[in-house]
Amino acid sequence: MKYVAISEDAVEHLKFPKASLSVAIPVRMDDGTLKIFQGYRVRYDDTRGPTKGGVRYHPNVTLDEVQSMAFWMTFKCAALGLPYGGAKGGIALNPKELSKFELERLSRGYVDAIADFIGPDVDILAPDVYTNAMIMGWMMNQYSIIRRQLSPGVVTGKPLSMGGSLGRETATAMGAFFVIATVMPKLERLPQDTTVAVQGFGNAGGVLAELLFQAGYKVVAVSDSQGAIYSHSGLDIPRIRRSKKLVEGVQAVYCQGSVCSIPDHEVLSNAELLTLGVDLLIPAALENQITSENAAAIQAQYIFEVANGPITSAADEILVARGITVVPDILVNAGGVTVSYFEWVQNRSGLYWTEAEVHQRLQQKMVNETQQIWAIAHEQGISLRTAAYVHALSRLGNAINDKGTRDYYLNS
Ligand code: NAD
């Protein structure tokens, strides 16, 4: 290993998922027919604690995809120092084609099928693409019915009324904000002198844009699936968020009533937003947005990956070679899994925290891990992405080595 001393045993150990489960989930549809859905759950590694990972409902879900996301979760939990291993789950379907009744039967059926594979001390579920708090509530309830005891700790991201945590909804954006607020002063950037473009105006990107606006950053461009808007003098983000709740789409917001009076605003395409001459670019929508096709045209000096995998590896090499600072997804968007961990801790202790306590603990965690990753990058002269993986791998390697390595057994 080039940047981290890791035993051969640890490398061998991390080559394969600990366990992968494929299940057929029978669902009685509203029209009386029976349909079988293909579901998966993969527990990649549990050396550092019970495995943890989301459940995705998407037509492209395959066992291969779930395995790689479980591997990635293993590193994310290790990078953040959470006492978890990595897992992931999914069902191959288009959730928009199911009624609410069918969706509930499917979600409960999934838990019936994987119940022996999960548990509060074994493997903990969470929301991911096209799964939400209500679905997590159904899953927790179904697991509790099977076990004949209330088991809130088997699922995180639940509704508050079912043991969810305050602050969970804004956790990813808040976590990203704490990372930005830790890194930017190191780069000697002041908020008021820093322009920002945010791709994706949803739960993560929309909330983060508002936090940055409130902290004094000049957010000049935002986008959603319908397009982008730009204002040289800065956008009024709280106003856009309020209006977007009423009108679908950020462009539509700008073409309605008084919001149109904001000077200098322009309508851009999503592709144009990515190559704007801003200081800070925040991809917070989809994977594979910055590729070898557009990496050379990126003008931002700093990129914080809020989305999972928004930069392809070929593009990453181009950006690093151009001296652009990329702060990786496994750190930037880890606020969500961190508050999921807080939810699990609260469920197990029965003591529930205030929102202020959640924010304060999240801040402590995000700032501390960011500082450590920054120090590794600078001591070793490596990118922040490599440093995040080095940080995670050293924790994983130590945990695996503590069970005994070849050197231990042969040289004692
Ligand atoms: P979301 O569905 O709330 O928002 C996604 C936003 O992206 C929407 O505004 C949508 O209109 C926009 N969008 C879709 N296609 C686009 C395109 N081509 N160009 C520009 N914008 C587009 O989702 P979210 O929860 O905000 O998640 C966004 C990203 O952050 C995803 O990659 C997700 O995996 C990642 N993430 C989210 C969380 C979380 O807790 N929400 C945690 C970790 C990672």
Side-chain angles (χ1 to χ4, degrees):
M1 286 284 132
K2 205 167 159 194
Y3 304 117
V4 59
I6 176 169
S7 68
E8 284 174 25
D9 304 65
V11 174
E12 185 66 13
H13 184 96
L14 289 169
K15 275 185 189 163
F16 302 101
K18 181 182 171 83
S20 300
L21 185 65
S22 294
V23 293
I25 311 156
V27 177
R28 181 67 60 193
M29 306 301 279
D30 293 346
D31 66 2
T33 58
L34 183 77
K35 199 164 171 197
I36 305 288
F37 291 87
Q38 189 74 54
Y40 308 97
R41 186 76 190 166
V42 174
R43 302 182 59 226
Y44 201 92
D45 179 72
D46 65 352
T47 314
R48 300 185 60 262
T51 51
K52 178 97 185 74
V55 181
R56 177 169 292 197
Y57 285 0
H58 196 275
N60 298 344
V61 165
T62 60
L63 182 58
D64 264 4
E65 187 197 58
V66 175
Q67 280 179 345
S68 25
M69 290 190 297
F71 175 84
W72 178 80
M73 274 305 292
T74 306
F75 278 79
K76 189 167 175 174
C77 292
L80 264 287
L82 306 177
Y84 287 142
K88 201 77 183 189
I91 306 177
L93 85 154
N94 180 355
K96 290 176 186 162
E97 288 171 359
L98 268 67
S99 74
K100 288 176 183 161
F101 295 107
E102 290 165 343
L103 210 52
E104 178 174 359
R105 289 195 285 271
L106 174 71
S107 305
R108 290 183 183 276
Y110 177 64
V111 172
D112 287 342
I114 65 166
D116 291 335
F117 203 70
I118 61 174
D121 290 311
V122 181
D123 178 29
I124 303 134
L125 315 181
D128 192 68
V129 175
Y130 291 136
T131 51
N132 57 20
M134 180 170 268
I135 294 175
M136 293 306 111
W138 291 332
M139 289 185 175
M140 187 279 272
N141 178 251
Q142 190 63 22
Y143 184 83
S144 300
I145 290 169
I146 293 166
R147 292 280 169 252
R148 296 207 174 273
Q149 59 183 32
L150 190 65
S151 307
V154 71
V155 174
T156 61
K158 302 179 292 291
L160 266 184
S161 58
M162 297 174 82
S165 176
L166 288 166
R168 175 64 184 86
E169 283 204 350
T170 53
T172 300
M174 277 244 164
F177 177 76
F178 293 137
V179 175
I180 295 170
T182 308
V183 169
M184 293 311 272
K186 293 181 188 298
L187 299 164
E188 296 179 1
R189 298 297 311 216
L190 295 172
Q192 62 271 26
D193 301 328
T194 306
T195 54
V196 186
V198 182
Q199 184 200 40
F201 207 67
N203 179 32
V207 177
L208 177 58
E210 184 152 349
L211 291 170
L212 290 170
F213 173 89
Q214 281 159 356
Y217 286 86
K218 199 160 136 191
V219 183
V220 294
V222 295
S223 69
D224 63 14
S225 56
Q226 299 173 44
I229 47 173
Y230 168 80
S231 168
H232 176 70
S233 51
L235 298 164
D236 182 347
I237 300 296
R239 195 169 183 178
I240 298 171
R241 285 196 70 219
R242 276 197 306 276
S243 309
K244 191 168 147 66
K245 281 190 186 138
L246 304 172
V247 189
E248 275 297 307
V250 288
Q251 282 186 5
V253 167
Y254 264 65
C255 299
Q256 305 262 332
S258 58
V259 198
C260 282
S261 62
I262 293 178
D264 301 334
H265 83 263
E266 276 176 51
V267 171
L268 303 177
S269 70
N270 255 305
E272 287 169 322
L273 175 135
L274 292 174
T275 55
L276 278 175
V278 290
D279 302 308
L280 199 64
L281 176 63
I282 300 179
L286 306 168
E287 64 280 359
N288 300 335
Q289 294 300 294
I290 302 176
T291 64
S292 48
E293 302 282 302
N294 61 359
I298 300 293
Q299 295 189 60
Q301 286 171 270
Y302 317 107
I303 303 178
F304 288 77
E305 295 183 317
V306 170
N308 285 320
I311 302 177
T312 63
S313 32
D316 197 47
E317 279 177 26
I318 298 172
L319 297 173
V320 171
R322 291 183 53 213
I324 295 171
T325 301
V326 178
V327 190
D329 48 8
I330 100 175
L331 170 66
V332 179
N333 71 26
V337 68
T338 301
V339 175
S340 273
Y341 163 57
F342 295 164
E343 179 177 332
W344 179 77
V345 169
Q346 292 171 77
N347 292 155
R348 293 164 69 88
S349 68
L351 179 66
Y352 285 82
W353 308 345
T354 63
E355 193 160 9
E357 273 176 282
V358 171
H359 288 166
Q360 186 247 323
R361 287 177 197 261
L362 176 64
Q363 179 170 21
Q364 200 177 23
K365 189 87 194 136
M366 300 304 298
V367 171
N368 184 24
E369 300 303 328
T370 305
Q371 304 275 27
Q372 292 190 48
I373 290 169
W374 179 271
I376 294 169
H378 284 261
E379 278 157 22
Q380 300 202 33
I382 55 180
S383 72
L384 286 165
R385 188 187 307 282
T386 307
Y389 279 91
V390 164
H391 190 45
L393 204 47
S394 61
R395 280 184 174 138
L396 272 164
N398 286 342
I400 294 166
N401 291 352
D402 285 347
K403 289 180 166 175
T405 60
R406 190 174 62 172
D407 284 349
Y408 167 77
Y409 289 110
L410 298 184
N411 296 332
S412 56

